[in-house]
Amino acid sequence: MARTGRPPARPLNAPAIVLVRPQLPENIGAAARAMLNCGLTELRLVQPREAWPNERAREVSSGAFEVIDNARVYPSARAATADLTRVYATTARHRQMIKPVETPRAAVASIRADIAAGGRVGILFGPERTGLENDELTLADRLLSVPLNPGFASLNLAQAVLVLGYEWFQGADETPPRRLVLNGTRPAERAELMNFFDHLEAQLVECGFLRIADKRPSMVRNIRNIFLRADLTRQEIRTLHGIVKDLSTLRVKGSKRRPKTEK
Amino acid sequence: MARTGRPPARPLNAPAIVLVRPQLPENIGAAARAMLNCGLTELRLVQPREAWPNERAREVSSGAFEVIDNARVYPSARAATADLTRVYATTARHRQMIKPVETPRAAVASIRADIAAGGRVGILFGPERTGLENDELTLADRLLSVPLNPGFASLNLAQAVLVLGYEWFQGADETPPRRLVLNGTRPAERAELMNFFDHLEAQLVECGFLRIADKRPSMVRNIRNIFLRADLTRQEIRTLHGIVKDLSTLRVKGSKRRPKTEK
């Protein structure tokens, strides 16, 4: 049976996603999946076109059942926002409304501040194709508009939910922008790296690659830079020692077949 | 007829999106739509499961034909990346690869720097469900991983393309984080606002609302703050003057029915 009407006015620690008159159950399912991807779980449906609960929406959610199965159905956008203290409405066009328009990134920062102050926040998304009606936009404090290619700005419903959810999740995520996953090994210490350079350069002198003395310092710097840019691990240093050693052996064995001559 | 093989090594002013062994034409179409939403147009397909060109993909693209119709098909990820100077691979898990892992936001900043330096960049996306194979990941300089709910991190293929494209577009977009769209009117000047306050407060004294003299200053400040927070336009100031005037008239007319008495 569908859960309907006003939910308990409990604290919401993330914004509620309110889909107004969604047409396709597939889009509700895809929106639920995108929500859970981003840690959002409170889904509200205003007059969905197809019957609710809906098995097709459930399938397309790819397992986001904690969102789908707890969704509540409301008779109007006004009812669906009754317990909220801050309402955003998503729109691609600004119509005749004089309201603040925020980017998703700015909106999630404001929403976090509202929630930290005890507020309950919801974000309205309109039906596929038509979007929200003006009376529904009037329920909102602020409009939310995604900056996109102005020549092709129409996002699918679930894609619009994802953009908002993605920004929501990033706003609190602490993943370093760039990291190296080391799989149990550790970065090489400078001494290990220098030992490798000594080994490599000794062999390169031996085999004649560094035979021209006045070019040697700059060639050595260039070669070291190749390996320095690679952010080597201890294990990789061992591998490189082995490569140099075995290539040297090959040279000794094969020296009669491929003599190194000075040109 | 499908466009196949190596494209002209022309400059790419945005990253190419490389879908490796995509299964569903719907996902290719949805990815193309998401690309064009974000100003990305170079789509490369490695061994798509269904025949290409594909009418279903074209339909689902919702008109992103400049992406779909110019997509090229390649026999391998190696061939599809042959002309590139920088390759990213998207992955949800880090496998046994010791490679830098970047967030989408960090990656688009790096990609812009690469492109500014004349580089040609591509981003590999693996097949639905299985993702890229290890040998395909090995084609990449860097991995790209979207920070998401660790309990439910699997993005649909087109959703993954959208996240990357969205960050790409935001990286160069100059939309102010928050703006007020004024529809041809202009913000009220301070003098217009003060005239309105004078009008309102005179009427509030007249009708008795501000009758308690020692509370008046703080009440006036609170009332002014309500209207100051609304960022009023010139036209709205006129509307408010009209509201105060007509409400005052109502009070005069109705004074016998609803007398204002001091409690």
Side-chain angles (χ1 to χ4, degrees):
Chain A
M1 212 184 78
R3 297 179 182 221
T4 58
R6 184 164 177 160
R10 66 184 186 283
L12 295 178
N13 60 9
I17 299 298
V18 186
L19 304 186
V20 179
R21 291 175 282 111
Q23 308 292 294
L24 301 177
E26 286 80 359
N27 285 340
I28 303 174
R33 176 179 179 178
M35 286 174 63
L36 194 55
N37 283 148
C38 303
L40 299 174
T41 53
E42 172 108 7
L43 176 60
R44 303 181 178 195
L45 303 173
V46 176
Q47 299 177 22
R49 192 182 65 186
E50 308 291 327
W52 192 266
N54 187 290
E55 201 43 47
R56 181 73 188 128
R58 215 165 179 276
E59 279 166 28
V60 175
S61 80
S62 292
F65 301 143
E66 74 178 274
V67 177
I68 286 283
D69 295 347
N70 292 312
R72 281 179 178 269
V73 177
Y74 296 81
S76 66
R78 179 170 170 158
T81 56
D83 64 318
L84 302 178
T85 60
R86 170 74 71 208
V87 177
Y88 279 84
T90 55
T91 171
R93 291 151 293 138
H94 304 128
R95 330 272 184 108
Q96 299 306 311
M97 299 284 155
I98 301 184
K99 268 188 209 295
V101 182
E102 296 185 1
T103 61
R105 201 162 297 170
V108 300
S110 304
I111 291 170
R112 284 196 190 279
D114 282 330
I115 289 173
R120 287 190 301 280
V121 183
I123 305 168
L124 303 179
F125 293 80
E128 302 90 334
R129 302 187 188 286
T130 58
L132 293 164
E133 291 175 359
N134 280 343
D135 283 349
E136 290 159 346
L137 292 180
T138 301
L139 290 167
D141 304 302
R142 300 174 187 164
L143 303 181
L144 205 166
S145 194
V146 183
L148 288 172
N149 176 0
F152 194 82
S154 164
L155 280 180
N156 164 278
L157 178 56
Q159 302 275 54
V161 170
L162 176 68
V163 164
L164 202 287
Y166 168 76
E167 284 286 5
W168 170 257
F169 195 89
Q170 304 317 301
D173 183 66
E174 293 177 353
T175 305
R178 183 176 180 159
R179 62 197 192 281
L180 197 61
V181 178
L182 288 172
N183 293 322
T185 177
R186 62 158 176 76
E189 290 166 5
R190 216 42 31 163
E192 292 165 331
L193 204 53
M194 290 300 148
N195 285 342
F196 167 65
F197 289 153
D198 289 345
H199 177 195
L200 174 65
E201 290 156 16
Q203 291 298 323
L204 292 180
V205 168
E206 175 82 11
C207 73
F209 183 86
L210 291 175
R211 64 196 174 279
I212 304 171
D214 63 344
K215 288 196 175 171
R216 195 177 295 172
S218 75
M219 291 176 80
V220 163
R221 282 195 298 272
N222 292 344
I223 293 165
R224 288 187 179 196
N225 280 336
I226 293 171
F227 291 103
L228 283 163
R229 284 200 305 272
D231 290 341
L232 297 169
T233 66
R234 171 188 229 179
Q235 179 56 51
E236 288 165 343
I237 291 278
R238 287 200 197 110
T239 302
L240 288 169
H241 274 296
I243 287 172
V244 171
K245 179 164 170 281
D246 285 4
L247 284 174
S248 310
T249 312
L250 180 70
R251 178 172 49 78
V252 172
K253 282 187 195 159
S255 58
K256 292 200 179 147
R257 277 178 285 130
R258 299 187 299 163
K260 191 88 187 178
T261 55
E262 196 145 344
K263 282 169 195 167
Chain B
M1 212 184 78
R3 297 181 181 219
T4 56
R6 184 163 177 160
R10 64 183 187 286
L12 295 178
N13 60 8
I17 299 297
V18 186
L19 304 185
V20 178
R21 290 174 282 113
Q23 309 291 296
L24 301 177
E26 286 79 1
N27 285 339
I28 302 175
R33 176 178 180 179
M35 285 174 64
L36 193 56
N37 283 149
C38 303
L40 300 175
T41 53
E42 172 109 7
L43 176 60
R44 303 182 179 194
L45 304 173
V46 176
Q47 299 177 23
R49 192 182 65 186
E50 307 292 326
W52 192 265
N54 188 289
E55 200 45 45
R56 183 73 187 128
R58 216 166 178 275
E59 278 166 28
V60 175
S61 79
S62 293
F65 301 143
E66 74 179 276
V67 177
I68 286 282
D69 294 346
N70 292 312
R72 281 179 177 269
V73 178
Y74 296 80
S76 67
R78 179 170 171 158
T81 55
D83 64 318
L84 303 178
T85 60
R86 170 75 70 210
V87 177
Y88 279 83
T90 55
T91 173
R93 289 152 293 138
H94 304 129
R95 329 273 183 108
Q96 298 306 312
M97 299 282 156
I98 302 183
K99 269 189 210 294
V101 183
E102 297 185 0
T103 61
R105 201 161 295 172
V108 300
S110 305
I111 290 171
R112 284 195 191 278
D114 282 330
I115 288 174
R120 287 190 300 281
V121 182
I123 306 168
L124 303 179
F125 293 81
E128 302 91 334
R129 302 188 188 285
T130 58
L132 293 164
E133 291 176 358
N134 280 343
D135 283 348
E136 292 159 345
L137 292 180
T138 301
L139 290 167
D141 303 304
R142 300 174 187 164
L143 303 181
L144 205 165
S145 196
V146 183
L148 289 171
N149 176 358
F152 194 79
S154 164
L155 281 180
N156 164 278
L157 178 56
Q159 303 275 55
V161 170
L162 177 68
V163 164
L164 201 287
Y166 168 77
E167 284 286 4
W168 170 256
F169 195 88
Q170 304 317 301
D173 183 65
E174 293 177 353
T175 305
R178 181 175 182 161
R179 63 197 191 281
L180 198 60
V181 178
L182 289 173
N183 292 323
T185 178
R186 62 158 177 74
E189 289 167 5
R190 215 43 30 165
E192 292 165 330
L193 206 53
M194 291 300 148
N195 285 341
F196 167 66
F197 290 154
D198 289 345
H199 178 195
L200 174 65
E201 289 155 17
Q203 291 299 323
L204 293 180
V205 169
E206 176 82 12
C207 72
F209 183 87
L210 291 176
R211 64 195 173 280
I212 303 171
D214 64 343
K215 288 196 176 172
R216 194 176 296 172
S218 76
M219 291 177 81
V220 164
R221 280 195 300 271
N222 292 343
I223 294 166
R224 288 188 179 195
N225 280 336
I226 293 172
F227 291 102
L228 284 162
R229 283 200 305 272
D231 290 341
L232 297 169
T233 66
R234 169 187 231 181
Q235 179 56 50
E236 289 165 344
I237 292 278
R238 287 199 197 113
T239 302
L240 289 169
H241 274 295
I243 288 173
V244 171
K245 180 164 170 280
D246 285 5
L247 284 175
S248 310
T249 311
L250 180 71
R251 177 171 49 80
V252 172
K253 283 186 195 161
S255 55
K256 294 200 178 148
R257 277 178 285 129
R258 297 187 300 163
K260 190 89 189 179
T261 56
E262 197 143 347
K263 282 169 197 168

